[in-house]
Amino acid sequence: MNKQDLINEVAIAADISKVAAERAVESVLDNIAKALKRGDRVTLFGFGNFSVSQKKARVGLNPKTGERIQIPARKAPKFTPSAALKELLNT
């Protein structure tokens, strides 16, 4: 499923236009991204948690040349599914 498929499903489930569904989906995704950028954790009960994890700087290898390169520290998005979502997938 891609974003357009999700928009279509939301439009059908909520009995709204595709334009309204697109605005709703975009708004949800934008607000999750903004919260993560602020360093907040986003919890969707029954679905899971979105958070930001810190990756430390490290030394890596260029696969072509074998040269050692410095990989800088960075922030990465993280999703942890809820127990309810895990159970749904395994039934």
Side-chain angles (χ1 to χ4, degrees):
M1 176 179 277
N2 60 31
K3 189 190 290 187
Q4 192 59 49
D5 294 337
L6 179 62
I7 290 167
N8 292 337
E9 292 294 325
V10 169
I12 292 167
D15 194 26
I16 58 177
S17 71
K18 287 184 182 180
V19 172
E22 182 175 8
R23 281 196 311 258
V25 169
E26 288 291 339
S27 177
V28 168
L29 297 176
D30 288 346
N31 281 291
I32 289 172
K34 287 176 187 175
L36 292 176
K37 186 165 177 78
R38 288 191 307 265
D40 295 342
R41 179 181 173 133
V42 179
T43 301
L44 302 176
F45 183 75
F47 187 73
N49 299 308
F50 294 92
S51 59
V52 177
S53 67
Q54 298 288 334
K55 303 287 185 178
K56 295 180 181 177
R58 61 188 174 89
V59 175
L61 294 176
N62 180 330
K64 284 187 177 180
T65 65
E67 177 186 357
R68 297 173 69 86
I69 56 172
Q70 183 64 32
I71 300 171
R74 63 187 177 93
K75 295 178 183 177
K78 179 180 173 184
F79 175 73
T80 305
S82 70
L85 181 59
K86 289 179 188 177
E87 184 177 323
L88 175 70
L89 296 175
N90 291 300
T91 56

